[in-house]
Amino acid sequence: MESKDKIQVTVQATVAAALGRVWDMWTSPTHIMQWNNASDDWHTPFAEADLRKGGKFRSTMAAKDGSMSFDFEGTYTDLEEHRLIGYEMPDGRKVSVSFTESPAGVQIVETFDAENEHPVDMQRAGWQAILDNFKKYAENH
């Protein structure tokens, strides 16, 4: 059930790498499995992406000790290569990810509709941690 008063949360990072490389690392399942976790005790053992408007993506995020896992999935609603990815999750929440070149690298700005189960600050911290992990991965591989 959707609330009329959705809270939107934004996280961002600047990645010191070329735009094409950042885009490929963000969208390729092989790369996603390397960076898509918020902490070192989690990993992504599976990822798939049909990168086109109307295409679907899914990744499995799991605790390395096997205690917990969940699938993160959605349908692409907007796609401008090297610029923008929009998607909708199964619960109706929307996400927008923009990629902008700057002298310092590629600025990634990710805005998502918060869910109602966890505190907004916790959600922001988790999404920022994953984005920070992406930055570290992209700058070092």
Side-chain angles (χ1 to χ4, degrees):
M1 190 166 169
E2 285 188 10
S3 164
K4 290 181 182 177
D5 301 320
K6 285 188 179 173
I7 296 172
Q8 289 196 318
V9 180
T10 299
V11 296
Q12 57 188 343
T14 299
V15 180
L19 178 58
R21 183 168 171 75
V22 168
W23 180 267
D24 289 343
M25 290 182 154
W26 188 271
T27 59
S28 164
T30 303
H31 287 295
I32 292 166
M33 291 181 353
Q34 302 303 311
W35 61 261
N36 189 35
N37 54 284
S39 62
D40 289 340
D41 54 343
W42 281 72
H43 67 145
T44 300
F46 173 83
E48 64 182 358
D50 181 8
L51 190 62
R52 63 180 174 82
K53 194 171 180 177
K56 296 186 182 300
F57 69 88
R58 182 170 63 97
S59 60
T60 300
M61 300 175 81
K64 287 182 178 176
D65 68 5
S67 63
M68 178 185 306
S69 73
F70 65 93
D71 285 342
F72 185 80
E73 60 190 307
T75 301
Y76 296 111
T77 56
D78 200 1
L79 191 62
E80 295 176 41
E81 188 172 15
H82 296 169
R83 294 197 46 194
L84 178 71
I85 297 172
Y87 62 88
E88 185 172 323
M89 292 180 266
D91 64 4
R93 293 184 298 131
K94 292 178 171 44
V95 179
S96 173
V97 187
S98 68
F99 302 81
T100 307
E101 284 187 287
S102 75
V106 178
Q107 182 182 32
I108 300 173
V109 178
E110 192 170 16
T111 301
F112 64 94
D113 293 338
E115 42 93 348
N116 298 319
E117 191 175 327
H118 298 94
V120 170
D121 287 345
M122 179 187 290
Q123 293 176 66
R124 180 181 294 110
W127 285 61
Q128 184 68 56
I130 293 169
L131 183 54
D132 291 346
N133 203 42
F134 172 78
K135 172 183 169 63
K136 181 174 138 187
Y137 175 76
E139 291 178 348
N140 292 299
H141 289 88

